[in-house]
Amino acid sequence: MQRYALIHALQILEHLFLQTNQRVEMKKDKAVMAATLAVAFLAPCVMADVTIYGSLREDVEYDHFGDIGHSLPTGTVSGEARLVDSSSRIGFRGTDKWDNGWSTVWQIENGIGAAANPAPASTNGSNPKQMGGGVWGNRNSFIGFSSPEFGTFRAGNYDSAYKNALTISKLTPMFDDLLDSIDFKGSHGTFSQLSTRLNDSLSWDSAVWSGFQVRADTGLDGTPDSKGHAPIYDVSGLYNNGGFNASLAYQYAKNRTFQQVSGISTADNNGSNTTGGANVAGYQLAASYKFGFGLGLGAGWEHISNNTPTGDSSWNNYVFSGDYWFNPKLQVRGLYSRSNSVLGISGLTGQQGSLSAVYSLSKRTRWYTSIVGLKNGGDISKISADNYTFQNNSKSITAKNDQTSYTALTGVRTDF
């Protein structure tokens, strides 16, 4: 009897063991299946080598617009506080490596902060850049090919070599690393006035040879008219040796005047952006040196010639920059830029100066505090004929003839 009871007990234990083992195996099978599905979904993302990146840049500022003949421009007040965006953006970039060492490279970059309906420069700060209003792919977006030996070829919407000599290079920390309201470059700025982004650009960046690199591009004119083609050509050379950095850039625009080239976003001939028989050429030289004890100095010179059927003119622009790092977290920068006799008009001179303090809250977040002043030396008695309005990059302050405007701001930038 005891024997039969023992056998029965062993049979029950065997049955329980088999049931437990089956459950374990089923759980293992489910886990393996889940892992397989996860790998199947994730594998394309991993193999595509896609990177998501971006930057959020926002400041609060008090803008003051100076008097013109003791009266303010229509539609403005003497001072106002507001939020201003500094080209916040989000982007996606990736590479696809070939078997022979080359790669396909691509990027889609989108502006988060932009004025939906930008006001003309003649209107004082009525529509600065704000969070929202960005357009998909409106920033540097392209597809291209790259190799370590031959460099990178791109087709798409991309900064000209004239522009990115200062904005995408080792010179950037000295000339283009702060908020837009401090930026002195570009259309209606006081320096690098031919800087532009071309949405029909073919460009090439060479490999770097002993610290030297060549960049070149052309903006295609896909819709010529009776005035002929109106392409834009750029070439630049950059050099780096330790703390020393330098660039020389050149731009030539055919069948265009200075006002038509400055700040355009396409080389297409649409009638309003072309002038038959005209051309604009610009040279831009910039250099900086970083000393080992925290001091950095930079300077730049720009010469622009504007040749039209009705007359020729030329002028020079200058910039001087200095910064000092008190410690790895605290930086102070001063900057002064000047545009002399724009369009060859005596006295039509723009000046922008700024003093900024930057504190690194972390590796990716910085806090800015700045004072910026912008002055136009044009003759008030010729405001109609000589009305070239200077403007900072965020379009928050402008200066018409015989006007001085300024802004005081504090803001945060975080990169991801």
Side-chain angles (χ1 to χ4, degrees), residues 8-318:
H8 184 65
L10 290 173
Q11 288 176 340
I12 293 174
L13 289 174
E14 181 182 15
H15 179 71
L16 292 174
F17 174 78
L18 289 174
Q19 283 187 329
T20 303
N21 191 51
Q22 287 176 350
R23 293 192 188 100
V24 171
E25 291 299 326
M26 289 178 64
K27 289 182 179 179
K28 286 183 178 179
D29 291 341
K30 290 180 180 179
V32 171
M33 184 178 292
T36 303
L37 290 173
V39 170
F41 282 107
L42 291 174
C45 297
V46 173
M47 295 186 67
D49 193 15
V50 178
T51 299
I52 301 176
Y53 67 94
S55 181
L56 296 175
R57 313 172 184 188
E58 192 84 358
D59 65 88
V60 57
E61 58 185 62
Y62 176 82
D63 302 322
H64 179 85
F65 307 105
D67 291 351
I68 299 179
H70 303 290
S71 64
L72 292 167
T74 302
T76 66
V77 295
S78 60
E80 55 191 358
R82 53 190 170 181
L83 287 174
V84 176
D85 184 83
S86 285
S87 299
S88 297
R89 77 281 312 256
I90 185 171
F92 309 84
R93 63 166 67 103
T95 60
D96 180 25
K97 294 183 179 180
W98 304 359
D99 295 335
N100 59 0
W102 285 74
S103 298
T104 301
V105 295
W106 62 270
Q107 177 175 296
I108 301 173
E109 189 169 291
N110 315 288
I112 298 173
N117 298 293
S122 60
T123 305
N124 275 20
S126 65
N127 199 358
K129 296 179 182 178
Q130 297 173 332
M131 193 69 75
V135 178
W136 181 265
N138 67 326
R139 296 184 59 83
N140 287 338
S141 302
F142 58 85
I143 187 169
F145 312 101
S146 180
S147 84
E149 296 82 10
F150 297 98
T152 302
F153 301 83
R154 301 180 185 88
N157 185 26
Y158 201 68
D159 288 348
S160 68
Y162 194 94
K163 178 181 180 180
N164 66 35
L166 296 181
T167 60
I168 311 176
S169 73
K170 290 185 179 295
L171 288 166
T172 301
M174 185 59 66
F175 294 104
D176 191 60
D177 203 28
L178 302 180
L179 300 176
D180 281 2
S181 293
I182 310 164
D183 196 354
F184 54 95
K185 303 182 303 300
S187 175
H188 291 278
T190 49
F191 192 77
S192 198
Q193 292 173 333
L194 297 184
S195 292
T196 190
R197 178 179 297 126
L198 297 169
N199 66 9
D200 43 15
S201 169
L202 295 175
S203 66
W204 170 63
D205 294 354
S206 77
V208 179
W209 308 297
S210 301
F212 180 74
Q213 184 184 39
V214 176
R215 299 177 180 178
D217 67 81
T218 178
L220 303 177
D221 177 9
T223 57
D225 61 12
S226 59
K227 303 171 188 176
H229 284 273
I232 297 176
Y233 304 99
D234 298 88
V235 63
S236 66
L238 298 96
Y239 180 72
N240 164 253
N241 185 1
F244 177 74
N245 298 288
S247 72
L248 176 62
Y250 172 76
Q251 182 181 108
Y252 174 79
K254 183 180 179 181
N255 288 327
R256 300 178 186 275
T257 67
F258 169 67
Q259 291 94 327
Q260 292 165 349
V261 173
S262 181
I264 67 170
S265 60
T266 174
D268 278 351
N269 182 333
N270 62 11
S272 62
N273 278 342
T274 58
T275 296
N279 65 77
V280 182
Y283 296 89
Q284 179 179 267
L285 175 65
S288 69
Y289 190 82
K290 188 70 175 181
F291 295 90
F293 56 89
L295 176 66
L297 298 174
W301 165 77
E302 179 181 33
H303 178 78
I304 297 177
S305 60
N306 181 49
N307 305 311
T308 72
T310 58
D312 301 336
S313 61
S314 64
W315 62 97
N316 296 298
N317 304 321
Y318 306 91

